[in-house]
Amino acid sequence: MSATELPPDTADGEAITDDTRPACVMVFNSNDPCGAGGLAADVSATASVGAHALPVVCGSYLRDSAQVFDYVAFDDDCVSEQARGVLEDITVQVIKVGFAGSLDNLGAIASLAGDYNQVPVIAYMPDLSWWEQSKIELYHDAFQELVLPLTTVLVGNHSTLWRWLLVDWEGDAPPTARDIAKAAAEHGVPYTLATGIPLPGQHVDNVLASPQTVLASEKFELFEGTFAGAGDTLSGALAALLASGSDLVTAFSEALHYLDRSLDGGFRPGMGHILPDRLFWAQPDDEDDASDESNDDAPQAPSAIVEAMALPPHDTKH
């Protein structure tokens, strides 16, 4: 075989076809060193629902599990070169845009997404209240102008989207999800997913809407405690499910239930917020734990000890 020839892809001696490869999601987001959100959330959520993440690093938060102290953005040429190298090699089913960190990076992402305009774009707008107000306003304006016209589904907390897209809202009641969807549609967005809409009795509604109608909604009971990374987890799962072939309403429902399970298994690794357990499906069942504990003191034959040292088969796909 010459140096220019590539070996065929194989698995158990059989060629891997396009049908057996996981769908690929290109993710533009920032590194989160505590693993709460950002690329850490995107990669684990994407893998958990059966797709493959192609992470493009836009910069890094400087933070712990309680708060963001600062942010460092990568150069836009660096962001472009990361993405273009992959896009020229791998077919991408969906692009997800998280926090890009700078106006230049938003421009670079918009240019790339425009070149691949047949690929759906899932855009997530996080809460940026940790940032300087002047930077937030510039970022929001650039996102509206550059990214929203290319966006298929806009995802964000109801409060965040309201204060961004309906800054002059004067109604006595808060805007509905359709009101927000109409505002997003003015910038070219066909679908909006608004989360965390307050309901009576410690419940929240999550609504998928177009300017014309509410397509679906899911109500959940609020968990006690403050979580970090929920939005990236939801939008990452949604992007992966759409990339894998789910229709929008089904992907909306499954992504929300995946987030609910992740929050239900949430954990606090430090002294700050609770983080979603996006790999909840890989944790052992309580029954398995009890069975293991009951046999701890039983003598084991040498062959059993050798078998116990072997790596178990990977059967934890969600």
Side-chain angles (χ1 to χ4, degrees), residues 188-240:
V189 180
Y191 303 106
T192 298
L193 197 176
T195 66
I197 303 172
L199 293 173
Q202 293 298 304
H203 286 73
V204 292
D205 201 5
N206 305 278
V207 178
L208 176 67
S210 70
Q212 295 78 28
T213 188
V214 170
L215 300 172
S217 65
E218 294 272 359
K219 298 176 177 61
F220 291 92
E221 186 174 359
L222 282 171
F223 290 99
E224 294 184 4
T226 303
F227 288 84
D232 272 320
T233 302
L234 174 63
S235 52
L238 178 72

Side-chain angles (χ1 to χ4, degrees), residues 13-261:
E14 298 181 0
I16 299 176
T17 66
D18 288 340
D19 291 338
T20 61
R21 290 191 176 103
C24 292
V25 180
M26 174 160 281
V27 181
F28 294 93
N29 213 333
S30 299
N31 178 56
D32 183 340
C34 73
L39 287 171
D42 285 321
V43 171
S44 54
T46 298
S48 291
V49 299
H52 176 64
L54 306 169
V56 177
V57 188
C58 297
S60 182
Y61 295 100
L62 306 180
R63 64 164 302 169
D64 58 17
S65 62
Q67 61 182 316
V68 178
F69 306 117
D70 205 349
Y71 181 86
V72 178
F74 278 17
D75 183 87
D76 59 309
D77 287 338
C78 177
V79 173
S80 292
E81 290 303 314
Q82 289 180 77
R84 288 202 182 275
V86 174
L87 287 168
E88 292 171 4
D89 174 47
I90 298 173
T91 300
V92 173
Q93 279 72 43
V94 168
I95 292 172
K96 184 214 160 175
V97 182
F99 183 54
S102 73
L103 309 188
D104 289 341
N105 285 347
L106 287 176
I109 293 168
S111 177
L112 288 159
D115 290 344
Y116 292 84
N117 57 12
Q118 76 282 6
V119 180
V121 174
I122 309 304
Y124 168 59
M125 178 55 69
D127 175 15
L128 300 176
S129 58
W130 55 269
W131 220 10
E132 298 173 24
Q133 186 60 37
S134 59
K135 291 183 178 179
I136 297 174
E137 292 173 359
L138 290 172
Y139 187 86
H140 279 169
D141 290 345
F143 207 100
Q144 279 187 14
E145 179 181 350
L146 299 170
V147 179
L148 288 190
L150 303 168
T151 297
T152 308
V153 184
L154 173 64
V155 182
N157 181 271
H158 175 263
S159 178
T160 298
L161 297 180
W162 167 11
R163 285 163 175 75
W164 170 30
L165 298 174
L166 292 169
V167 65
D168 296 324
W169 180 260
E170 296 179 351
D172 294 333
T176 65
R178 271 196 64 202
D179 291 326
I180 294 174
K182 289 176 183 178
E186 293 178 3
H187 303 282
V189 180
Y191 303 106
T192 298
L193 197 176
T195 66
I197 303 172
L199 293 173
Q202 293 298 304
H203 286 73
V204 292
D205 201 5
N206 305 278
V207 178
L208 176 67
S210 70
Q212 295 78 28
T213 188
V214 170
L215 300 172
S217 65
E218 294 272 359
K219 298 176 177 61
F220 291 92
E221 186 174 359
L222 282 171
F223 290 99
E224 294 184 4
T226 303
F227 288 84
D232 272 320
T233 302
L234 174 63
S235 52
L238 178 72
L241 288 162
L242 290 171
S244 300
S246 295
D247 65 80
L248 181 55
V249 172
T250 300
F252 160 81
S253 179
E254 292 189 6
L256 279 168
H257 282 86
Y258 169 76
L259 173 63
D260 187 58
R261 289 288 305 276

Side-chain angles (χ1 to χ4, degrees), residues 257-275:
H257 282 86
Y258 169 76
L259 173 63
D260 187 58
R261 289 288 305 276
S262 298
L263 297 181
D264 187 43
F267 63 100
R268 182 178 280 110
M271 297 180 288
H273 299 321
I274 303 170
L275 275 55

